[in-house]
Amino acid sequence: FRLASWDGQEQVSAWHDIPLASSSPGCFNLLTEIPRYTLPKMEVATKEAFNPISQDVKKGKLRNYHGPLFWNYGCLPQTWEDPNVKNEEVDCMGDNDPLDVVEIGSETLEMGSISEVKPLGVFSMIDDGELDWKMIAIRTADPLASQLNSVEDVEKLLPGTISGIREWFRWYKTPDGKPINAFGHKEECLPADKALEVISETHEFWKNLRNGRTDPGKLWIGAN
């Protein structure tokens, strides 16, 4: 299964060709990979031509979560966590993928859809020794979007969401016999300002990748 992106008759890369920033100040385009309440581990195929969304494969088998995500999950286009750069705050390199987003709104978003989201916070998850940022966001069209502008707002209006996200991502690999994931920054969900810093940094990493200043390795980065 491959879900490709098209602009009319022309195939495009959802990772490289969709703009990061949306039309609203401080908001960004979310590419949904995994609609909430679903099991298949879908992701942008960073090493395939035009980077379609496909189901992750481990040891020759299609990968599924052992329990559903309770939120929409995807990534920000035109971002990249550089595996060659160490983050001094957590002493880890990037995970070689676009910036992950957990969207906490009330609507199930369609796989491959593009939604305008507002950053609310970010977790610094450590997965197998790599930094794997998890940004928390709300779709701007969500009924609660105008009331949610910070981690504190989420705690007040949607209690249990922040801790639920952290614990879901802490434990989700353990049924496969893998250790729990760790978190930097005292396991705190960092504020929206930090999320914006992470977006800016990972966008710069992506630009270096696309412009040839960073070795892409096996990643498909298209034509410059």
Side-chain angles (χ1 to χ4, degrees):
F1 173 84
R2 297 290 185 275
L3 182 61
S5 298
W6 297 83
D7 182 5
Q9 299 297 313
E10 181 182 2
Q11 188 172 4
V12 298
S13 163
W15 182 19
H16 299 304
D17 296 325
I18 294 172
L20 167 61
S22 68
S23 57
S24 302
C27 296
F28 302 88
N29 288 317
L30 164 67
L31 171 65
T32 295
E33 298 164 304
I34 306 173
R36 65 177 184 164
Y37 305 137
T38 59
L39 291 173
K41 175 66 171 72
M42 310 302 295
E43 62 183 15
V44 168
T46 56
K47 298 175 183 177
E48 293 186 23
F50 294 101
N51 313 118
I53 294 175
S54 65
Q55 190 168 359
D56 190 21
V57 176
K58 292 292 185 183
K59 298 181 180 178
K61 295 183 179 180
L62 293 173
R63 187 176 168 199
N64 290 286
Y65 290 131
H66 293 276
L69 266 172
F70 304 109
W71 313 276
N72 296 296
Y73 189 70
C75 65
L76 294 186
Q78 299 187 350
T79 63
W80 180 55
E81 297 193 47
D82 192 339
N84 307 292
V85 176
K86 178 181 286 188
N87 180 287
E88 298 299 335
E89 295 176 4
V90 297
D91 197 33
C92 293
M93 307 285 199
D95 75 343
N96 202 30
D97 281 324
L99 176 59
D100 294 326
V101 179
V102 183
E103 195 278 327
I104 61 173
S106 57
E107 182 177 319
T108 299
L109 304 180
E110 185 178 353
M111 184 191 306
S113 63
I114 303 298
S115 306
E116 182 182 80
V117 297
K118 175 171 56 174
L120 301 173
V122 67
F123 281 112
S124 55
M125 192 179 89
I126 312 300
D127 184 352
D128 198 22
E130 296 177 333
L131 174 59
D132 185 5
W133 292 107
K134 302 294 184 190
M135 191 182 91
I136 313 302
I138 183 74
R139 190 170 62 102
T140 56
D142 191 88
L144 280 180
S146 63
Q147 302 177 61
L148 295 175
N149 296 289
S150 66
V151 175
E152 291 75 18
D153 290 342
V154 178
E155 295 280 25
K156 180 181 178 181
L157 295 174
L158 298 171
T161 298
I162 296 297
S163 60
I165 292 170
R166 182 179 56 239
E167 295 311 310
W168 197 95
F169 282 100
R170 186 198 305 279
W171 292 96
Y172 81 101
K173 288 187 175 181
T174 58
D176 295 319
K178 294 186 176 182
I180 61 174
N181 288 321
F183 292 86
H185 299 93
K186 300 179 181 178
E187 301 196 347
E188 295 175 3
C189 187
L190 303 173
D193 286 349
K194 181 63 176 181
L196 292 174
E197 289 181 16
V198 172
I199 293 169
S200 178
E201 179 182 63
T202 54
H203 183 51
E204 289 300 315
F205 291 157
W206 172 83
K207 287 196 289 187
N208 290 338
L209 179 70
R210 282 278 282 179
N211 293 338
R213 291 192 289 268
T214 301
D215 182 4
K218 297 181 179 180
L219 299 176
W220 190 87
I221 60 171
N224 291 328

